Amino acid sequence: MAMQFSKEDQEKLKKDQSEIYKKRTEETNRQDIENLSRSGKWQQFTDYYLKTVLVIAVIVGVILVGIIQSVTQKTSTALYIAIQHDAFDEDKIEAFRKAVEDYLQLNPKDEMVVVSTECTDHQLQTYFYAGTADILITDEESFQEWGQAEYFFDMEHNKEVAFYQDFGKNKWYRTAYVTGQDILNNKETQTAETKPGSMEEYVCGVYLTDSDKYRQIGGGIEKPVLGIANTTTHLEEAKAFVEYMMDNSLPMDLQQ
């Protein structure tokens, strides 16, 4: 049953200033909050706003971390392969690069293989000095110039390439070294034409002549030679690559 108020009671209610009869407005709510004590205001904040603020902070944090990682994270080079004096189809080189990455079990998001077919001698020399280039593949005559200047690990002095023995003597590339003393003693020709003072030869590379993989990517050099730079910072990857190129029993899939 509905409660009935007399006219007199209704007038009294209108004049009553009790809180329960006051109409709530934004202004009255704001005033109530301002009148709260410090602990009361904190309690008001935690009850009504803290969870929302925390959720927003987490979302913003995740977004910021993603942006920072996308800007600062760079893919590092796990192996740099330079191929000189040969002509290739770009698509095959790209497929070859990916095949090597797969063989080395690299995560493409973090590491990558670089295959350069356009390095000039000047660029390559700089890359060797800087430890950027790990592998060189080129023709016999060009490889001899680099080999005589001692740019590669050799089997006689460096245990790092002792595994060359596994390929057999017919795969070894040998050359003598041109020393600093040889250059000083050269009074007849230009420095670049200096001949080795000693004919003792060292195994500093391997032939890819019978490498199915080199032919598969379109390599046309009659006797290509491969060497590992003695300044490499990716020795394990370089060794694995050489074994990969020399192992014809392991097929290479370029259809990726």
Side-chain angles (χ1 to χ4, degrees), residues 215-253:
R215 301 308 176 190
Q216 191 176 346
I217 61 175
I221 298 175
E222 183 178 354
K223 291 184 177 181
V225 188
L226 178 155
I228 299 177
N230 53 25
T231 55
T232 179
T233 56
H234 307 112
L235 180 60
E236 293 307 313
E237 291 82 1
K239 290 168 63 176
F241 173 74
V242 176
E243 292 173 336
Y244 179 61
M245 295 299 290
M246 298 294 286
D247 186 0
N248 287 337
S249 67
L250 183 63
M252 179 174 67
D253 180 16

Side-chain angles (χ1 to χ4, degrees), residues 207-221:
Y207 282 100
L208 294 179
T209 309
D210 300 324
S211 171
D212 290 345
K213 296 180 182 68
Y214 189 72
R215 301 308 176 190
Q216 191 176 346
I217 61 175
I221 298 175

Side-chain angles (χ1 to χ4, degrees), residues 10 15 20-21 24-25 38 44 62-63 68 70 91 95 106-107 114 117 132 137-138 142 151-152 197 212 216 242 247:
Q10 291 178 12
K15 296 178 181 180
I20 61 172
Y21 299 118
R24 305 303 299 172
T25 64
R38 182 176 299 179
Q44 173 80 6
V62 170
I63 293 173
I68 292 171
S70 65
D91 291 338
L106 303 180
N107 182 345
V114 175
T117 60
T132 300
I137 300 173
T138 189
S142 298
Y151 278 96
F152 308 110
D212 290 345
Q216 191 176 346
V242 176
D247 186 0

Side-chain angles (χ1 to χ4, degrees), residues 7 34-35 39 41 78 82 86 97 108 143 198 234 239:
K7 290 184 178 180
E34 287 180 353
N35 292 330
S39 60
K41 290 179 180 179
D86 210 340
R97 186 187 69 78
F143 194 89
S198 169
H234 307 112
K239 290 168 63 176

Side-chain angles (χ1 to χ4, degrees), residues 126-142:
T126 301
Y127 292 164
F128 279 148
Y129 279 132
T132 300
D134 305 299
I135 297 285
L136 174 64
I137 300 173
T138 189
D139 58 274
E140 277 184 307
E141 183 177 354
S142 298

Side-chain angles (χ1 to χ4, degrees), residues 60-185:
V60 171
V62 170
I63 293 173
L64 287 177
V65 169
I67 293 173
I68 292 171
Q69 287 182 342
S70 65
V71 172
T72 60
Q73 186 174 5
K74 295 182 179 180
T75 303
S76 62
T77 300
L79 187 67
Y80 190 107
I81 305 163
I83 308 178
Q84 283 192 316
H85 306 149
D86 210 340
F88 299 94
D89 179 272
E90 289 185 5
D91 291 338
K92 281 192 174 181
I93 288 297
E94 177 60 16
F96 173 58
R97 186 187 69 78
K98 290 182 179 179
V100 176
E101 286 182 347
D102 289 344
Y103 176 73
L104 297 177
Q105 299 182 340
L106 303 180
N107 182 345
K109 293 182 179 180
D110 302 322
E111 298 178 295
M112 68 181 296
V113 169
V114 175
V115 180
S116 173
T117 60
E118 299 179 351
C119 274
T120 65
D121 286 349
H122 178 72
Q123 288 173 328
L124 188 56
Q125 185 178 45
T126 301
Y127 292 164
F128 279 148
Y129 279 132
T132 300
D134 305 299
I135 297 285
L136 174 64
I137 300 173
T138 189
D139 58 274
E140 277 184 307
E141 183 177 354
S142 298
F143 194 89
Q144 183 182 45
E145 295 178 9
W146 296 106
Q148 286 184 342
E150 301 184 56
Y151 278 96
F152 308 110
F153 286 122
D154 70 65
M155 203 165 64
E156 288 72 17
H157 295 111
N158 309 113
K159 62 181 181 180
E160 290 86 348
V161 292
F163 70 101
Y164 285 178
Q165 297 180 27
D166 300 336
F167 304 137
K169 293 183 178 181
N170 63 323
K171 298 293 192 302
W172 296 348
Y173 177 87
R174 300 174 182 271
T175 189
Y177 289 152
V178 174
T179 66
Q181 190 60 48
D182 294 334
I183 294 174
L184 291 174
N185 292 339

Side-chain angles (χ1 to χ4, degrees), residues 17-32:
Q17 299 301 310
S18 299
E19 289 296 321
I20 61 172
Y21 299 118
K22 286 184 179 179
K23 184 177 180 180
R24 305 303 299 172
T25 64
E26 290 185 7
E27 179 64 21
T28 56
N29 287 335
R30 183 182 64 78
Q31 289 177 350
D32 288 344

